[in-house]
Amino acid sequence: MIRLYGHHKGESSFVQVTRGLRAAAKSAELLAGEVAVDMLEQERVQPGADALVGLFCGAPLSIALGPRMGLHKEHWLLLAPNSEGIPPFLREPLSAATGFLAPSSWAADVLRREFPSHRVLVAPHGVHPDVHMPSEEDREARTKEYSAGTFRVAHFTSTLGQRKGTLQLLSAWRNWSEKPAGAQLLIVANPLAVNEYLWRAKEMGVDPKTVGVVANPEAPVSALAAALRHAHVVCQPSRAEGFGIVPLEARACGVPVVMTKCTGHREFWSPQGTVTVAHGDLEPLDDYPGAVAPSVSSEAIRLALSEAFETWLALSDEAARDADSVRWEWSWQKQNAPVLQELVDGAR
């Protein structure tokens, strides 16, 4: 059995992952208990202290709680690299884990290089089929808007850093001279980054009437799914993703995506309803000193956005046809229940 150590407060990516793994563990009848590592001051004694496996799916350094809060035989950590390596200061404390769950094959390769004596299993992120679903009403509304010259592009970023390709996207938007008069780019950002991106957009000379930057509202999953369906295209030109769940959620909602096909995005990339942003060779990344990741140019993003607009009707049809397949094939339960069972079997 498994005791889950995760996050409960708000709607952060850690909370989403905790929620997904909880659903998978419950579906496999493996959940012995749960500890909210972000609410320890409110925690009462929770069941599962003697579970065979402690699974840590929140902030990586929470692995240190394992020996203090449980008598688990094994301690596993879900870890998503943000570049082609792990920050040096994390290597020693994270070595306390028995093994690692990686959200993608690319992430698993990184972790195997960094921790050659540890077991690494691939446990992809997923979607919630009861929330991430297409809406014919929304699709009809987007089609009417497109015919009238409106084209909304949504981009989600949780970082001030370079790995999501946000600044390259802003540059591409400025340089996309043939974009329709009704084109709008909405950047949903870490609250700490909102003013930074607004300033950088102004500094680049981006028309402020065509770009909005808002703080991630920490809204329920259902509200974020509705926001995805409000866009004509979701654009995620990431340089490095442990998995990169936003394009997958968009596809489950029947929304076309513009995305890279590198690092974690390779795990679920599909040509259906997708325009691919070309990436280049490894270049420095601000994950930590010496970090590298594939390069992505603003020109590659501009070309992809232009293609997405010109072919949107066909892309929308493809995304709508593929949505139900994505919802069920990529549910948290289907993607993770077998891996969780493998953890328990291996600890016996």
Side-chain angles (χ1 to χ4, degrees), residues 2 21 24-25 28 30 53 55 76 78 100-102 119-124 332-347:
I2 295 172
L21 287 176
L30 295 174
V53 176
L55 175 56
W76 284 75
L78 176 65
F100 298 97
L101 294 187
R119 289 181 64 200
V120 179
L121 300 176
V122 177
W332 280 97
Q333 292 90 328
K334 182 166 185 178
Q335 291 295 323
N336 287 271
V339 182
L340 299 184
Q341 186 65 60
E342 186 175 351
L343 292 189
V344 172
D345 292 344

Side-chain angles (χ1 to χ4, degrees), residues 32 67 69 96 130 172 178 251 270 294 297:
M69 301 191 68
D130 57 336
E178 68 273 25
R251 288 177 51 213
S270 165
S297 70

Side-chain angles (χ1 to χ4, degrees), residues 187-226:
I187 297 175
V188 182
N190 182 310
L192 297 175
V194 170
N195 287 336
E196 173 73 13
Y197 288 131
L198 285 170
W199 170 253
R200 294 300 292 272
K202 180 179 180 180
E203 187 179 52
M204 289 180 183
V206 180
D207 183 351
K209 294 192 291 289
T210 69
V211 175
V213 184
V214 298
N216 189 320
E218 291 276 311
V221 178
S222 58
L224 292 176

Side-chain angles (χ1 to χ4, degrees), residues 57-85:
C57 57
L61 291 178
S62 67
I63 189 71
L65 295 172
R68 292 164 44 197
M69 301 191 68
L71 301 172
H72 312 303
K73 184 177 179 182
E74 296 187 352
H75 302 81
W76 284 75
L77 174 64
L78 176 65
L79 187 59
N82 288 329
S83 66
E84 288 285 343

